[in-house]
Amino acid sequence: STTICTTSKHIHSWISINMFIQNGLCLRSLKCLTSRSYSSTSQVLSSKPTKDLRLQVASNYNTRRATYKKAVGQLRKQYADEVSKQRLTDEKAQAEKKAEETRKRLERQRSKNLRSVQNAMRHEEVRKKRADEFEEEVA
């Protein structure tokens, strides 16, 4: 059976290495599948693989493939969770930033409105004072 490392970064490479080793073992046990040996002497073999050996190789392949697919599925699920958490964090930070900008904008507008009201009151007082002075001069 394939051992899966605890860190997600190493799962894929560990499974690949393990599959490579198992493939090498299977190829060595199945040299009779080809007309030549994998050794440097290149001897011709006349025997064919047995049905049991073919079933065993197929079973090994399917087991390794299922293990790999399961590990990839777990990684994809983990990555999807990380992405959704990051998205929520980003959205929360963006909402806080927008709320802060809105608050600052409203505070600036409020201070402008207060200055505007004070200026309007001062101009009204000046207008009344000039009107009173004009009334006094005319009278």
Side-chain angles (χ1 to χ4, degrees):
S1 68
T2 303
T3 305
I4 298 175
C5 296
T6 56
T7 60
S8 61
K9 292 179 181 177
H10 299 295
I11 290 176
H12 181 71
S13 61
W14 177 255
I15 290 174
S16 297
I17 292 169
N18 205 5
M19 289 177 81
F20 178 75
I21 291 169
Q22 288 183 359
N23 274 342
L25 293 174
C26 289
L27 285 175
R28 275 188 236 120
S29 67
L30 284 178
K31 350 187 216 194
C32 54
L33 282 177
T34 64
S35 63
R36 294 180 185 248
S37 171
Y38 287 99
S39 69
S40 61
T41 58
S42 300
Q43 296 173 341
V44 176
L45 298 175
S46 60
S47 63
K48 291 188 176 184
T50 63
K51 184 175 182 177
D52 290 339
L53 185 58
R54 286 188 302 222
L55 289 175
Q56 180 184 1
V57 169
S59 175
N60 278 344
Y61 173 77
N62 289 335
T63 303
R64 287 181 283 123
R65 186 169 166 224
T67 303
Y68 175 79
K69 288 178 89 175
K70 184 176 180 180
V72 168
Q74 288 173 347
L75 275 177
R76 286 183 178 158
K77 190 180 291 184
Q78 179 183 350
Y79 292 158
D81 290 342
E82 290 175 8
V83 166
S84 65
K85 287 178 185 176
Q86 185 64 39
R87 185 176 294 132
L88 287 175
T89 304
D90 291 346
E91 288 173 356
K92 183 179 177 182
Q94 188 177 8
E96 289 174 356
K97 183 179 176 183
K98 185 176 179 180
E100 179 69 20
E101 289 174 356
T102 302
R103 186 180 62 79
K104 286 182 178 181
R105 180 178 48 84
L106 292 174
E107 285 177 357
R108 284 193 308 270
Q109 186 63 45
R110 181 178 177 270
S111 65
K112 285 180 184 180
N113 290 344
L114 287 175
R115 285 194 306 268
S116 177
V117 167
Q118 290 170 351
N119 286 338
M121 289 172 56
R122 189 175 67 244
H123 285 291
E124 184 63 24
E125 288 174 5
V126 169
R127 187 192 65 77
K128 282 185 181 181
K129 184 178 177 184
R130 285 186 183 160
D132 290 343
E133 288 175 357
F134 180 74
E135 287 294 324
E136 288 177 9
E137 280 184 25
V138 172

